[in-house]
Amino acid sequence: MSESASLIIGEKTYELPIITGTEGEKAIDISKLRDASGYITLDSGYKNTGATKSAITFLDGEEGILKYRGYGIEELAEKSTFLEVAYLLIYGDLPNQSQLNSFQSDISRHTLVHEDMKKFFDGFPSKSHPMGQLSSLICSLSSFYPESLNSKQTPEEQNLTIIKLFAKMTTVVSWIYKKSLGHPIIYPQNNLDYVSNFLNMTFGQRTEVIEIDPVIVKAMNVLFILHADHEQNCSTSTVRMVGSSDCNLYASISAGISALWGPLHGGANQAVIEMLEQIKNDGGDTDKWINKAKDKNDDFRLMGFGHRVYKNFDPRAKIIKKACDEILEKLGINDPVLEIAKKLESAALNDPYFVERKLYPNVDFYSGIIYRALGFPTDMFTVLFALGRLPGWIAQWKEMRENKEPIGRPRQIFTGEVIREYVDLKNR
Ligand code: CMC
């Protein structure tokens, strides 16, 4: 007999089906509850609400486990490239050599963006935030590829839209960076792999050929893999929500980029470095800042600490911390903010406030230090997060379409005025 839960409201009992996931996690299916009882459930911030069934990413916050399509994040970060992981997320399996070759070649063939898009860059103020530019530019791709607006695209047509987006993202991101410096843009090179091509467009110069350091290529691959998907987080839920209205892929991803921008989500990697700089400039007294974070009358939070779902440790943070030590050593960089970060981490991990609330360093605590060591300016950090997260967003959007999910439309409990007497303007 299938499992169910009983809900008693007044005199009546309602039987609610229990859904079990492949990892044994349980959910009470309340989709028919309102029809049967007139009641809805209320869960601000969706802290306890499953919005979808998904076969892409599994996360166990209590045990600190993260898997993409059944593969542990640790093994993927060690053995795969970002492109293989992107293929895995989007198509469901790790590619064999010939699948990988054709994925790479399809992408290489679509990295150029329409020449008219270059005019957009002239319109942005020179100091405008790269995330605002990225969100607008990705949305504008829908104007250049109007076939993407057809919500009834065949799988082949849809795949071409996906390839175009994935291919053009690196070009758009590196051009945003080049424009911020006032440097000439660098065009993609088809002989380079995905990550090297991105680094070449970002750090290359028209005046000379640059050597791309394999240590940096490896580090970027690892960082992108660690950010590639994270089940139903704020930006991914946004992508699915926007896409559920049959909105095109480019606009859906653009909405996800906007959601990622906030400092409580992807914007935390920028906020962490700004915080570490602030602590350093203030004399480096980490205890003072820990106390500020604990003070309920002070709205300062320790950026890069805490996570909605990880209540043990963030498995990505473990890998990134190791990568951070390695890369700084290999590049011979001695970053004073790393010392502040280490002091903060050890003070917080031993402080009852953080221990009781299960607040641990998250992925963003160390990613900014690596990006900085590689030469990226602070306001590009969240853009790099978006670049890494892109295959996850695409995979989730595609899954939502394939599962023919209904339009997302939460309900509410109304708390406003019930009825008011209308007063004419002259009498108000
Ligand atoms: N510093 C100090 N106190 C904190 C922090 C922090 N970073 N995070 C949570 N708390 C406290 C919070 O004040 C609350 O205390 P109390 O129970 O006494 O009221 C308790 O811990 C629970 O916090 P919450 O805000 O209810 O937890 P949440 O699940 O709603 O928020 C979070 C999760 C990530 C938004 C939050 O921990 C935070 O603001 N962290 C800093 C921003 C950050 O690093 N974000 C990146 C997340 S990882 C990258 C990504 O995937 O987006």
Side-chain angles (χ1 to χ4, degrees):
M1 212 179 90
S2 55
E3 252 187 304
S4 70
S6 305
L7 175 70
I8 302 166
I9 307 175
E11 307 275 279
K12 283 198 163 174
T13 301
Y14 302 91
E15 290 303 318
L16 301 167
I18 289 188
I19 311 282
T20 307
T22 48
E23 291 268 4
E25 70 285 18
K26 304 267 184 197
I28 300 170
D29 179 353
I30 50 105
S31 53
K32 303 273 185 299
L33 179 63
R34 187 172 180 276
D35 289 347
S37 69
Y39 284 74
I40 62 163
T41 54
L42 183 63
D43 180 21
S44 184
Y46 310 116
K47 289 196 173 190
N48 200 44
T49 295
T52 190
K53 291 183 200 162
S54 177
I56 302 171
T57 290
F58 174 72
L59 195 167
D60 182 332
E62 278 72 35
E63 297 297 324
I65 295 171
L66 176 62
K67 294 196 261 184
Y68 300 157
R69 305 270 190 197
Y71 297 97
I73 188 72
E74 295 79 6
E75 199 172 11
L76 290 171
E78 190 192 329
K79 299 182 181 162
S80 291
T81 61
F82 175 57
L83 203 68
E84 286 175 85
V85 171
Y87 187 100
L88 169 71
L89 287 166
I90 297 170
Y91 302 110
D93 294 305
L94 279 170
N96 61 29
Q97 192 62 57
S98 100
Q99 288 166 324
L100 186 62
N101 293 350
S102 55
F103 188 44
Q104 172 73 61
S105 126
D106 287 349
I107 287 165
S108 300
R109 243 176 290 129
H110 290 283
T111 44
L112 286 173
V113 296
H114 197 291
E115 283 292 295
D116 284 350
M117 272 190 80
K118 284 201 253 172
K119 294 181 191 148
F120 292 175
F121 292 95
D122 301 332
F124 292 118
S126 60
K127 295 280 170 248
S128 61
H129 198 284
M131 282 298 275
Q133 295 186 40
L134 184 66
S135 175
S136 325
L137 289 161
I138 294 303
C139 195
S140 73
L141 287 172
S142 54
S143 325
F144 291 94
Y145 306 105
E147 66 281 2
S148 66
L149 272 54
N150 174 11
S151 62
K152 304 278 178 293
Q153 280 188 318
T154 63
E156 293 72 30
E157 289 165 342
Q158 189 189 76
N159 191 47
L160 187 56
T161 300
I162 288 173
I163 294 284
K164 281 182 182 168
L165 172 60
F166 194 63
K168 292 174 202 314
M169 181 83 163
T170 44
T171 312
V172 170
V173 167
S174 57
W175 286 10
I176 290 174
Y177 175 59
K178 284 292 188 202
K179 286 284 171 182
S180 76
L181 298 175
H183 287 184
I185 53 168
I186 306 290
Y187 278 90
Q189 273 187 28
N190 286 0
N191 60 331
L192 295 176
D193 65 85
Y194 190 82
V195 171
S196 304
N197 187 36
F198 167 64
L199 291 170
N200 187 57
M201 286 190 286
T202 305
F203 296 119
Q205 298 292 344
R206 290 259 180 107
T207 43
E208 59 183 323
V209 176
I210 61 152
E211 287 283 318
I212 302 162
D213 187 339
V215 173
I216 298 182
V217 175
K218 173 70 189 159
M220 290 306 284
N221 270 290
V222 170
L223 281 164
F224 288 156
I225 290 170
L226 295 181
H227 285 93
D229 196 43
H230 212 229
E231 53 118 297
Q232 307 310 317
N233 56 82
C234 178
S235 56
T236 303
S237 303
T238 303
V239 170
R240 287 186 90 121
M241 175 66 95
V242 173
S244 78
S245 71
D246 271 358
C247 187
N248 69 80
L249 179 68
Y250 301 116
S252 306
I253 300 292
S254 160
I257 292 169
S258 300
L260 187 76
W261 192 358
L264 299 187
H265 190 12
N269 57 12
Q270 173 173 346
V272 168
I273 291 291
E274 286 167 356
M275 173 190 79
L276 295 175
E277 284 284 355
Q278 197 182 3
I279 298 176
K280 181 178 80 106
N281 296 338
D282 186 52
D285 179 357
T286 44
D287 289 343
K288 172 181 160 188
W289 291 84
I290 295 262
N291 287 334
K292 269 170 78 61
K294 286 157 46 175
D295 182 355
K296 289 287 157 210
N297 299 315
D298 189 328
D299 50 12
F300 172 75
R301 279 195 164 197
L302 214 50
M303 299 313 286
F305 263 78
H307 200 277
R308 171 60 63 79
V309 285
Y310 290 123
K311 300 298 174 195
N312 180 335
F313 64 93
D314 181 340
R316 304 167 300 172
K318 265 196 172 176
I319 303 170
I320 230 167
K321 187 178 178 190
K322 193 163 158 268
C324 184
D325 285 339
E326 280 169 12
I327 193 121
L328 293 193
E329 199 194 317
K330 277 189 187 144
L331 299 177
I333 290 174
N334 187 8
D335 190 339
V337 302
L338 182 65
E339 284 317 306
I340 307 252
K342 287 188 169 161
K343 267 168 75 183
L344 265 187
E345 183 183 356
S346 101
L349 291 180
N350 292 308
D351 189 301
Y353 173 95
F354 291 88
V355 175
E356 278 158 22
R357 288 169 181 75
K358 299 184 173 26
L359 300 170
Y360 297 88
N362 59 50
V363 67
D364 286 330
F365 193 63
Y366 282 104
S367 64
I369 297 174
I370 306 187
Y371 291 142
R372 205 158 103 123
L374 300 183
F376 288 102
T378 318
D379 63 2
M380 281 296 288
F381 294 177
T382 314
V383 171
L384 296 169
F385 190 154
L387 189 49
R389 182 56 54 88
L390 183 64
W393 286 332
I394 293 174
Q396 301 268 353
W397 183 92
K398 181 169 169 274
E399 179 180 66
M400 179 215 50
R401 280 287 162 92
E402 286 165 358
N403 291 350
K404 300 195 184 338
E405 288 184 14
I407 185 167
R409 206 303 185 186
R411 288 185 178 266
Q412 64 165 22
I413 292 293
F414 179 69
T415 59
E417 301 276 355
V418 174
I419 187 112
R420 301 175 96 176
E421 195 180 328
Y422 189 86
V423 179
D424 288 338
L425 183 58
K426 62 179 184 320
N427 297 325
R428 271 177 241 157

